[in-house]
Amino acid sequence: MALSLSRRLAVCALLAGGSFLAFSPLAQAFELVEQGKLTVAFTGDMPGSGWQDGKMIGYDGEIMQKIADKLGLKLQPALMEWSGTIASVEAGRVDVMLGTMGWTEKRTKIMTLSEPIHYFKNGIMQSSKTNWDKLSDLEGKKVGTITGFSFVPELKKIKGLELSLYDTSDAAVRDLIAGRIDAVIGDPPVVSYAIKKNPEWNMQFLAFTDSNADFPLLTGLGQVVYGFNKKNDDLRQKVDAIIGGMWKGCEMKEIGARYGLAADVWYRPAGENFRAGVDRPADYKLPSCKAGG
């Protein structure tokens, strides 16, 4: 049977031992990189994402694995540095990207973004000998962060801050431990997980206590989302429906607890809802895991 040359591919599942294709109950005509597969760009930074025994692991990864299973798709991993993930989605080389990516209005212009899978507040990874939790604490300091992070322009506005950009979180943390920089502003789940796993570092993470309208990405409410090519908004909508069901059952918190994200702060939005009227309706409400869930 000849296959269409179009990239508009039906989501199919090959029956075990069979010689024909059968449509999954959730089949949709999505525009995918490869038939029957969901190609995922990820960084491999835990606790967000990893690949083990043919499946995605980590908080972002485990949720994406469940989504793919429900869609009847096989996950195709595409491990890369953070700086390449969004560009790969834009170019259509992958179907979706993940890696504790925060929602920003700028990113809505180049991708279609999913419902949040958890929330966060940015902060400072630093020595346990200091207690910096304000933007002003970074003035005159040597600070590291990751190339392509949305808040880089805001960091550059802090008086006297000497900024170093890294391709990976590991490289930034190594320089912090070696004393070549004073602090790291990274993904809160990633740095918190790393600190928990390595107590000998004598490091801590403190969230910003500022609420500064001039620094909304650094001090505002963060939403971790998945990014899709704009041509795949139909896929994004199907994924959002699955995410919505997981929020209702508080499955997000159940998964998060396995990766050190058990506190309510990750699952209950507190702060301004920037998405309402931007890439969601004006009356849009953020999902949450209810008390007792």
Side-chain angles (χ1 to χ4, degrees), residues 151-172:
F151 48 65
V152 168
E154 293 185 6
L155 283 173
K156 291 179 177 178
K157 290 163 49 178
I158 296 176
K159 182 179 179 181
L161 185 147
E162 184 178 331
L163 187 63
S164 296
L165 296 176
Y166 298 85
D167 287 330
T168 66
S169 297
D170 286 346

Side-chain angles (χ1 to χ4, degrees), residues 13-202:
L14 181 63
L15 294 183
S19 60
F20 60 95
L21 293 175
F23 287 101
S24 162
L26 289 178
Q28 293 284 330
F30 300 132
E31 186 171 338
L32 300 174
V33 172
E34 189 173 350
Q35 183 177 14
K37 296 181 179 180
L38 189 65
T39 304
V40 182
F42 69 105
T43 63
D45 283 336
M46 291 291 283
S49 63
W51 183 260
Q52 181 177 303
D53 299 327
K55 290 188 174 183
M56 292 215 74
I57 61 171
Y59 184 79
D60 294 39
E62 190 170 327
I63 293 173
M64 181 56 69
Q65 183 68 57
K66 287 179 177 291
I67 290 169
D69 291 344
K70 290 181 180 181
L71 291 173
L73 292 170
K74 181 179 179 180
L75 279 186
Q76 180 73 19
L79 180 65
M80 62 185 69
E81 293 177 352
W82 169 258
S83 56
T85 55
I86 295 177
S88 293
V89 171
E90 282 189 275
R93 293 190 293 268
V94 300
D95 301 310
V96 59
M97 60 80 61
L98 57 81
T100 59
M101 178 179 72
W103 179 93
T104 69
E105 185 172 355
K106 182 178 179 180
R107 286 175 178 154
T108 67
K109 309 299 183 184
I110 57 179
M111 295 186 291
T112 181
L113 303 177
S114 75
E115 287 289 275
I117 58 172
H118 72 73
Y119 305 101
F120 68 92
K121 287 209 71 175
N122 283 309
I124 308 170
M125 181 179 181
Q126 60 194 283
S127 167
S128 57
K129 297 178 181 179
T130 57
N131 291 288
W132 302 330
D133 61 3
K134 300 178 181 63
L135 295 173
S136 59
D137 290 327
L138 297 178
E139 293 179 3
K141 304 296 193 303
K142 295 179 179 179
V143 177
T145 193
I146 313 306
T147 300
F149 273 17
S150 59
F151 48 65
V152 168
E154 293 185 6
L155 283 173
K156 291 179 177 178
K157 290 163 49 178
I158 296 176
K159 182 179 179 181
L161 185 147
E162 184 178 331
L163 187 63
S164 296
L165 296 176
Y166 298 85
D167 287 330
T168 66
S169 297
D170 286 346
V173 172
R174 282 197 298 269
D175 270 8
L176 175 61
I177 294 170
R180 288 186 283 269
I181 56 177
D182 302 310
V184 168
I185 312 299
D187 283 320
V190 172
V191 296
S192 297
Y193 183 79
I195 290 169
K196 180 180 179 181
K197 291 292 185 179
N198 300 277
E200 71 279 6
W201 289 352
N202 294 315

